[in-house]
Amino acid sequence: WWAQRVTAMALVPLTIWFVGSLLALTGGDHSTFVVWLRSPFNTVVMVVFVVAAFYHMALGLRVVVEDYIHDARIKIFAIAIIQIGCFILSITGIVSIIMVIT
């Protein structure tokens, strides 16, 4: 419960930063984005945003599964798939960021 609230609170400024950055980069080309993302601050905040977003998503989906799926085997399977999927997606996001800045 606490982790979900903490990630939600962390995502508020991170989402504002992300949307503001997207708006500021509107009209720019690929090289403008790469230069922007290569800034150490932007790289770190983007990685934190990706990790926080997927962790928050995993927590929220887990609660939905726990509340609405009553068969224990299906529940365990669904939670495992959610955890693995969100982990893979967050790693994919981090690797994508690294590929852009290198």
Side-chain angles (χ1 to χ4, degrees), residues 11-59:
L11 282 169
V12 170
L14 289 170
T15 302
I16 292 169
W17 167 84
F18 182 70
V19 171
S21 297
L22 287 179
L23 292 174
L25 290 168
T26 301
D29 58 356
H30 181 264
S31 62
T32 304
F33 173 74
V34 171
V35 168
W36 172 83
L37 191 58
R38 282 187 179 159
S39 161
F41 175 80
N42 290 332
T43 302
V44 170
V45 176
M46 183 67 82
V47 168
V48 170
F49 176 68
V50 167
V51 170
F54 284 114
Y55 184 59
H56 183 73
M57 182 174 77
L59 292 171

